């Protein structure tokens, strides 16, 4: 048994099969979409603002190159699917579904990630408060224990992927889940806090010492964002 | 709440590996345990060239980290997983044996893949790399039959490499059946090429393989790596003359 246990079948792929492609883009409206086109969101802080925990160079490449590539890939996948669909070529539309899932997931995940971070001199770091703090203690024992379990989940990812603190809408409790590559969190889970475990997220600064990155990132976690996602009904 | 099973906890404890004295002490214990159990201890193969020998196409810093840190971690974690597995076997703990399968596959695959990779690279401008038709006459002839030419093959292989979503490898393989047909395949994470296919050459598409030098420009890495592909090794594997162990 492994982290693959937690890899659910991507929602976007299912959505494509169920309802046709253009509606998938509609379902992602609100996350960096302008007039049906995905757009790169601005960062709410400067590239260098997370130093020394995440270098300015990593942030700049990660946002302006990697995230931009997902945005471009998503728009091109949506376009290809629209064209195929208008011609009634559903086979072609289906073959593009994995690209839609990958780039769409990459766009969603990174958009959520940037909002989860903040400079250590501002909202970054510290501990959660209020109802979120109580829920974390109830489900993980303590905030420290939660951080340890999240770091263990991150370290256990074999390849590229993400670890998430999620709220289970059905059961009402908190969970840690991992996702391979750019598979987005879906189903009963509401993503509260995501950490990018792709090598591009840390390699220029931490190289193979990824455990140091997983430890350092807690200094720039924006708990206010996590709290507001948690409290949203 | 997620039940972190033994393996996940185990993997998080093992990786990444610090080069501390406690790590080398546990390495000694692992070797001792494996030997007592009559099992092989896997070791990091030395590179057949210096870390800077592939410059400027792959930097010395990348090669050193990739070999001395990443590959070493796969070897160490593989040995540790084998010790745990042997212990579980001796204790008749079937659940533990099953839960260790994935760790053995991942770290064992990492060890196999990197061992193959180092040997299918060589310094640019040498007899191994400069002239594929000279170094690998049989293979290049077969590539011509399948893809129409070396340039067409490189294009198809490059497209497969760039199409990998996440971490993984691209391989030129030879089918063991079907008249030994050549194919381009990709494997995810550290899945090795197994069963019915012989790897002829492999390219690591994990970000650690190129990021320090090429950053997000992986297309340039894919283009430049042709300068350091060891066609002699590829020919030996294709012709079945290679003595490498390609399966665990
Ligand atoms: Fe990323
Ligand atoms: Fe590698």
């Amino acid at each position: 048994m492994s982290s693959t246990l937690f890899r659910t079948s991507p929602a976007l792929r299912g959505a494509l099969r169920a309802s046709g492609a253009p509606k998938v883009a509609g379902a992602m409206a609100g996350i960096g979409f302008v007039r049906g086109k995905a757009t790169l969101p601005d960062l709410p802080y400067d590239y260098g603002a997370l130093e020394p925990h995440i270098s300015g160079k990593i942030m700049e490449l990660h946002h302006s190159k990697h995230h931009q590539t997902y945005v471009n890939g998503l728009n091109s996948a949506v376009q290809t699917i629209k064209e195929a669909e208008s011609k009634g070529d559903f086979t072609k539309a289906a073959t593009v579904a994995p690209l839609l899932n990958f780039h769409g997931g990459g766009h969603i995940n990174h958009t959520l990630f940037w909002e989860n971070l903040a400079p250590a001199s501002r909202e970054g770091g510290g501990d959660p408060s209020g109802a979120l703090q109580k829920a974390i203690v109830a489900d993980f024992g303590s905030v420290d224990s939660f951080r340890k379990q999240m770091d263990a989940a991150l370290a256990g990812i074999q390849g590229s992927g993400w670890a998430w603190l999620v709220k289970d809408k059905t059961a009402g409790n908190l969970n840690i889940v991992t996702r391979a590559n750019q598979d987005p969190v879906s189903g009963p889970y509401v993503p509260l806090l995501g950490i990018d475990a792709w090598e591009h997220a840390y390699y220029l600064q931490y190289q193979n010492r990824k455990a140091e990155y997983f430890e350092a990132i807690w200094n720039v976690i924006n708990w206010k964002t996590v709290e507001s996602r948690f409290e949203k009904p | 709440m997620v039940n972190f099973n033994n393996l996940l906890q185990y993997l998080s404890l093992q990786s990444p590996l610090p080069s501390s004295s406690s790590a080398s002490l546990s390495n000694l214990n692992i070797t001792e345990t494996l030997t007592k159990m009559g099992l092989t201890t896997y070791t990091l193969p030395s590179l057949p060239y210096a870390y800077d020998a592939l410059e400027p196409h792959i930097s010395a810093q990348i090669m050193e980290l990739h070999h001395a840190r990443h590959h070493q971690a796969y070897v160490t974690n593989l040995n540790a997983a084998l010790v745990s597995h042997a212990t579980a076997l001796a204790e008749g703990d079937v659940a533990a044996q099953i839960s260790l399968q994935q760790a053995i596959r991942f770290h064992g695959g990492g060890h196999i893949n990197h061992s193959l990779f180092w040997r299918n690279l060589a310094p640019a401008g040498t007899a191994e790399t400069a002239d594929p038709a000279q170094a690998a006459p049989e293979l290049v002839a077969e590539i011509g039959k399948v893809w129409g030419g070396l340039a067409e093959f490189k294009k198809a292989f490059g497209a497969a490499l760039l199409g990998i979503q996440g971490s993984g490898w691209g391989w030129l393989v030879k089918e063991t059946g079907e008249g030994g047909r050549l194919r381009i395949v990709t494997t995810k994470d550290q899945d090795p090429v197994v069963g019915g296919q012989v790897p002829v050459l492999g390219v690591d598409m994990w970000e650690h393989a190129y990021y320090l030098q090429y950053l997000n420009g992986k297309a340039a890495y894919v283009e430049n790596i042709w300068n350091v592909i060891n066609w002699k090794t590829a020919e030996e594997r294709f012709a079945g003359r290679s003595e490498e162990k390609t399966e665990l």
Side-chain angles (χ1 to χ4, degrees):
Chain A
M1 309 228 282
S2 73
S3 58
T4 54
L5 252 191
F6 311 123
R7 296 177 184 181
T8 59
S9 63
L12 294 177
R13 217 170 290 166
L16 178 72
R17 275 195 301 271
S19 59
K23 285 177 194 149
V24 174
M28 288 190 283
I31 292 195
F33 270 89
V34 174
R35 283 190 208 94
K37 278 219 155 198
T39 52
L40 184 68
D42 287 336
L43 285 191
Y45 38 78
D46 293 338
Y47 287 136
L50 306 185
E51 296 207 354
H53 309 293
I54 305 178
S55 77
K57 183 155 191 211
I58 288 179
M59 289 303 296
E60 180 168 2
L61 283 161
H62 204 169
H63 177 258
S64 73
K65 303 290 181 185
H66 290 278
H67 191 167
Q68 184 68 61
T69 302
Y70 294 118
V71 168
N72 297 347
L74 171 57
N75 286 329
S76 119
V78 168
Q79 186 62 31
T80 308
I81 289 170
K82 269 186 193 161
E83 283 167 16
E85 206 190 33
S86 71
K87 289 180 202 146
D89 188 351
F90 295 105
T91 311
K92 167 88 181 179
T95 59
V96 184
L99 284 172
L100 182 69
N101 179 67
F102 182 67
H103 293 287
H107 178 43
I108 291 172
N109 292 339
H110 285 90
T111 302
L112 292 167
F113 182 52
W114 307 136
E115 295 168 0
N116 273 140
L117 303 176
S121 58
R122 283 175 19 205
E123 304 90 346
D127 285 333
S129 57
L132 175 65
Q133 190 264 349
K134 285 198 183 74
I136 287 177
V137 171
D139 288 329
F140 301 99
S142 69
V143 175
D144 274 339
S145 164
F146 159 70
R147 277 189 281 252
K148 278 206 187 79
Q149 291 183 50
M150 188 84 167
D151 284 348
L154 285 161
I157 293 171
Q158 296 179 338
S160 300
W162 294 72
W164 296 90
L165 170 67
V166 298
K167 182 166 81 174
D168 187 327
K169 271 185 291 192
T170 340
N173 63 331
L174 299 175
N175 272 305
I176 294 169
V177 297
T178 61
R179 288 290 177 275
N181 303 324
Q182 295 298 355
D183 288 353
V185 167
S186 59
Y189 295 140
V190 180
L192 305 181
L193 165 62
I195 295 180
D196 191 343
W198 281 60
E199 289 173 320
H200 66 233
Y202 60 84
Y203 209 82
L204 289 181
Q205 187 175 358
Y206 296 96
Q207 290 92 42
N208 63 307
R209 306 179 315 278
K210 61 180 175 181
E212 290 177 25
Y213 159 68
F214 299 146
E215 209 172 301
I217 201 164
W218 296 108
N219 295 303
V220 290
I221 291 299
N222 186 342
W223 285 107
K224 289 276 165 284
T225 304
V226 188
E227 282 163 26
S228 69
R229 286 179 189 160
F230 175 71
E231 282 156 17
K232 215 164 152 188
Chain B
M1 171 147 130
V2 171
N3 262 329
F4 286 109
N5 54 58
N6 295 340
L7 171 61
L8 214 56
Q9 277 176 350
Y10 162 82
L11 284 177
S12 66
L13 290 173
Q14 292 295 325
S15 171
L17 290 162
S19 53
S20 66
S21 55
S22 69
S24 40
L25 181 67
S26 74
N27 287 350
L28 275 179
N29 291 342
I30 281 167
T31 306
E32 212 172 276
T33 312
L34 282 168
T35 310
K36 254 186 229 158
M37 288 168 162
L39 296 171
T40 312
T41 305
Y42 289 90
T43 53
L44 181 69
S46 52
L47 285 191
Y49 38 79
Y51 285 136
D52 64 1
L54 307 186
E55 298 244 14
H57 308 292
I58 305 179
S59 75
Q61 191 193 8
I62 288 178
M63 289 303 295
E64 180 164 5
L65 282 163
H66 204 168
H67 177 258
R69 301 289 170 176
H70 291 278
H71 191 168
Q72 180 64 62
Y74 292 116
V75 169
T76 308
N77 290 334
L78 171 61
N79 287 328
L82 290 172
V83 166
S84 304
H85 188 264
T87 309
L89 202 62
E91 289 168 356
D93 186 345
V94 178
Q97 289 168 50
I98 292 167
S99 77
L100 283 160
Q101 295 300 315
Q102 183 56 28
I104 293 170
R105 181 183 178 88
F106 181 69
H107 298 290
H111 175 48
I112 292 171
N113 292 342
H114 286 91
S115 300
L116 290 166
F117 183 50
W118 308 135
R119 294 177 55 93
N120 68 222
L121 299 178
T126 58
E128 286 79 15
T129 55
D131 185 353
Q134 183 91 37
E138 289 176 45
L139 174 60
V140 170
E142 188 61 24
I143 283 174
K145 275 189 221 155
V146 178
W147 284 278
L150 200 56
E152 288 81 357
F153 161 70
K154 285 183 183 177
K155 214 175 148 199
F157 196 71
L161 293 174
L162 295 175
I164 292 171
Q165 296 178 341
S167 299
W169 292 74
W171 302 93
L172 172 64
V173 301
K174 182 188 175 184
E175 304 274 359
T176 50
E178 298 179 45
R181 208 186 129 77
L182 287 175
R183 286 184 56 193
I184 294 167
V185 298
T186 60
T187 57
K188 67 173 178 61
D189 303 328
Q190 292 299 354
D191 286 354
V193 170
V194 286
Q197 293 175 336
V198 177
V200 175
L201 61 90
V203 175
D204 191 344
M205 287 306 290
W206 281 58
E207 290 174 320
H208 65 235
Y210 60 83
Y211 208 83
L212 291 178
Q213 185 176 358
Y214 293 95
L215 309 174
N216 62 304
K218 62 180 172 179
Y221 162 69
V222 163
E223 202 177 303
N224 286 351
I225 201 153
W226 294 112
N227 295 304
V228 291
I229 290 294
N230 186 331
W231 289 96
K232 271 208 170 119
T233 297
E235 178 85 345
E236 282 164 16
R237 290 175 186 163
F238 173 72
R241 290 193 299 267
S242 172
E243 283 170 16
E244 295 163 314
K245 277 189 293 180
T246 56
E247 283 185 338
L248 203 58

